[in-house]
Amino acid sequence: MALTETGVIDYMFQYKSVAIQHGFRYLRLPDAINLSSPQMKDQYSSVSYMIPGETPGERSEIRAII
């Protein structure tokens, strides 16, 4: 929170309730990407993204679990 509040970073991903608690503006994402619609669980589980690992060149795949 502090990095956003002081302007060091412009945005972050956070729960809506936390954004409201801190007076931040927020965007409501469409069901196609917000991982909240049980009807879209098959679509959610078909995509993934990669995050950096603990050592240089290492990456981990992250998948939604619905």
Side-chain angles (χ1 to χ4, degrees):
M1 297 301 156
L3 294 176
T4 304
E5 292 172 332
T6 59
V8 173
I9 59 174
D10 296 326
Y11 63 91
M12 67 180 168
F13 296 97
Q14 195 55 264
Y15 289 106
K16 178 182 173 183
S17 60
V18 175
I20 291 170
Q21 178 184 10
H22 290 273
F24 294 147
R25 295 180 301 166
Y26 61 89
L27 298 173
R28 172 171 261 148
L29 299 174
D31 284 348
I33 60 174
N34 72 15
L35 304 178
S36 70
S37 173
Q39 292 81 17
M40 300 189 82
K41 67 179 182 173
D42 291 337
Q43 179 180 333
Y44 298 154
S45 65
S46 71
V47 297
S48 66
Y49 64 97
M50 302 299 287
I51 60 169
E54 294 187 24
T55 59
E58 181 183 11
R59 295 171 39 158
S60 296
E61 182 178 25
I62 304 297
R63 290 192 164 278
I65 299 172
I66 303 293

